[in-house]
Amino acid sequence: MNEKRLLLILATVQFCHIIDFMIIMPLGKTIMNAFAISPGQFAWVVSAYALAAFTGNLVSTVVIDRFDRRTALLFLFTCFTVGTLACAFAPTYGFLLAARFGTGLFGGTLGALVLAIVGDVIPLQRRASAMGWVMTAFSAASVVGVPAGIWIAAEYSWQAPFYATAALAALFVTVAFFFVPHMRGHLVEETIVPDESLGEVSRDPEAQLLQPRSVGSKIAAPFRAIFSNANQRAALLFTLTLMLGHFTIIPFIAPYMQINVGFADKQVSLIYLIGGGLTVVLLPLFGRLADRYGRMRVFTIASFLALFSIYALTNLDTNSIPVALLVTSSFFVVASGRNVPATTMITSVVRPENRGGFMSIRQSVNEMALFFSSMVAGFIITEGPDGKLQHYELLGYFTIAMSIVAVYTASRIRAVA
């Protein structure tokens, strides 16, 4: 298997998925005006995607490890493309909510599958570096996709970025069809583990859960395998706290910079262009550092630095565009950088034959945290008499607290062979 080519294709899949998820946030002000909705209603537009992804990942947990990774990737990517196109046709706020839900149903699962494939193909000793490259899709989306989407929306309409994203996704679906190889190495029926102390062989109880006898057991088996394992439970708790310590402040970064700081519509693209450009360069570095000095050590240092960036961003009181860009860029770098060792640690807690199901559950927890954090932001952020957004700093304090808890939960994770 050509690892580099596969990682490049997986990065393009992530690129499309992340653009689709991110583009809604810098369009917040435009969409609120277009549909005459409140900040709380806009938070539901973001949350609908997360809620759907949560649901989709719960379903995929039961079935995703039973298919060739290539087949699952092509199916999910195609459905995601159709959902993105539907968003562009939304005539009402309700239709937009439904379209975002449909897109998230497949897009969230797609993200989990990409990480499962990396975990299957790349050995643990090189996995953080590979994760760094795949996760540069976030940076590339920030540098190219989101600024381009903002410019297209400003020049034409808010629907135009969704047309463009759907067209790009359709192109990459075609590329994936021709160049992604079949991946069936995880399709094992049962693992026999020698028990030398007894002089006989014993059946691995986790592997036995892969082939239960009844339909009900088939559905419950992946969940039992995951939640009966303390190490995997710790990884899921880590996922939850890390996301709450990261995403809670993100949906309102662009609206806050426009309404409170004074960014023009097109200037918002500078936030993603500069911050994303820095992470394109630095994310692979975070991966190499994690492989060399330890994933936990690099994650802890990056999380400590993130506390200062979160505080500065949510307490920003300036009319200076350069100062604001310095603050947002620092947040992009350290928040994205700590996700590289974090994701690598999470993929290391499960064996390949269970990795797809576990990553789906992990993604469900991730989306549940996205949904919860968006709702918290929607309830706390209000519009003041002067039209400015209020109480953003309260979200910052909550995010800082969750970031500290995430470091503790990370320390409880152990890699398995």
Side-chain angles (χ1 to χ4, degrees):
M1 181 178 296
N2 188 322
E3 287 185 4
K4 291 183 178 179
R5 184 173 66 187
L6 178 62
L7 290 175
L8 179 60
I9 293 174
L10 293 178
T12 62
V13 174
Q14 287 287 72
F15 178 79
C16 294
H17 160 57
I18 292 166
I19 285 181
D20 180 84
F21 177 71
M22 289 181 61
I23 193 62
I24 202 76
M25 289 177 278
L27 296 179
K29 181 183 176 183
T30 304
I31 289 176
M32 284 189 280
N33 292 337
F35 293 104
I37 59 177
S38 67
Q41 289 174 302
F42 170 69
W44 271 106
V45 177
V46 179
S47 300
Y49 191 103
L51 181 61
F54 170 77
T55 305
N57 277 289
L58 285 180
V59 175
S60 71
T61 300
V62 180
V63 299
I64 199 167
D65 282 323
R66 302 183 185 186
F67 294 96
D68 184 332
R69 301 289 195 216
R70 177 182 184 273
T71 302
L73 182 71
L74 292 175
F75 172 76
L76 293 171
F77 203 10
T78 301
C79 293
F80 161 81
T81 303
V82 174
T84 300
L85 186 62
C87 293
F89 288 98
T92 64
Y93 171 67
F95 189 100
L96 180 62
L97 278 179
R100 293 304 291 167
F101 187 91
T103 308
L105 200 61
F106 300 102
T109 308
L110 188 63
L113 180 61
V114 167
L115 297 180
I117 292 173
V118 175
D120 287 352
V121 174
I122 309 298
L124 182 58
Q125 61 268 26
R126 294 190 287 112
R127 194 175 299 161
S129 298
M131 283 291 181
W133 283 109
V134 171
M135 292 176 70
T136 55
F138 174 87
S139 306
S142 302
V143 172
V144 179
V146 175
I150 293 170
W151 184 87
I152 292 171
E155 289 292 318
Y156 299 99
S157 66
W158 68 265
Q159 295 97 332
F162 291 101
Y163 286 120
T165 304
L168 190 64
L171 173 63
F172 288 141
V173 166
T174 305
V175 172
F177 178 82
F178 286 105
F179 292 104
V180 171
H182 291 282
M183 289 170 280
R184 302 189 180 97
H186 63 288
L187 295 174
V188 295
E189 299 229 345
E190 188 173 58
T191 302
I192 304 300
V193 182
D195 190 338
E196 298 178 357
S197 64
L198 298 177
E200 59 183 6
V201 296
S202 61
R203 299 185 184 276
D204 185 343
E206 185 175 337
Q208 285 183 340
L209 292 173
L210 294 174
Q211 296 294 325
R213 295 179 180 178
S214 67
V215 174
S217 295
K218 285 183 179 181
I219 295 175
F223 297 95
R224 290 203 308 268
I226 292 168
F227 289 104
S228 63
N229 186 301
N231 196 35
Q232 293 178 31
R233 291 198 305 269
L236 295 179
L237 180 61
F238 173 46
T239 296
L240 177 66
T241 55
L242 179 61
M243 187 52 61
L244 291 176
H246 175 79
F247 190 77
T248 308
I249 63 174
I250 289 179
F252 284 94
I253 288 179
Y256 184 83
M257 292 299 159
Q258 288 174 288
I259 298 171
N260 290 47
V261 178
F263 278 66
D265 288 349
K266 291 184 180 179
Q267 285 179 316
V268 173
S269 64
L270 293 175
I271 297 173
Y272 300 92
L273 183 64
I274 297 173
L278 289 172
T279 54
V280 164
V281 176
L282 295 176
L283 278 192
L285 175 62
F286 275 96
R288 290 194 296 271
L289 289 174
D291 282 336
R292 182 172 181 178
Y293 296 106
R295 295 172 290 275
M296 184 63 199
R297 179 181 298 177
V298 173
F299 172 76
T300 302
I301 294 173
S303 295
F304 176 74
L305 297 174
L307 303 182
F308 297 96
S309 292
I310 294 168
Y311 178 85
L313 177 60
T314 55
N315 288 271
L316 192 62
D317 185 16
T318 180
N319 293 322
S320 172
I321 301 298
V323 171
L325 289 174
L326 178 64
V327 172
T328 56
S329 297
S330 70
F331 174 74
F332 266 66
V333 170
V334 293
S336 299
R338 66 177 174 173
N339 278 335
V340 173
T343 306
T344 306
M345 286 190 288
I346 290 169
T347 63
S348 70
V349 302
V350 63
R351 296 194 307 271
E353 61 268 24
N354 301 108
R355 186 171 285 125
F358 173 77
M359 293 306 292
S360 291
I361 282 285
R362 179 257 179 188
Q363 191 70 15
S364 289
V365 172
N366 204 49
E367 302 298 345
M368 180 177 65
L370 289 177
F371 174 77
F372 178 72
S373 60
S374 297
M375 288 296 94
V376 169
F379 283 121
I380 292 179
I381 296 292
T382 59
E383 187 175 349
D386 57 356
K388 292 187 175 182
L389 300 181
Q390 297 180 326
H391 310 308
Y392 197 34
E393 72 281 358
L394 297 180
L395 291 181
Y397 300 142
F398 174 79
T399 304
I400 288 172
M402 288 296 100
S403 295
I404 295 172
V405 175
V407 174
Y408 167 72
T409 57
S411 67
R412 300 174 57 194
I413 296 176
R414 298 292 180 269
V416 299

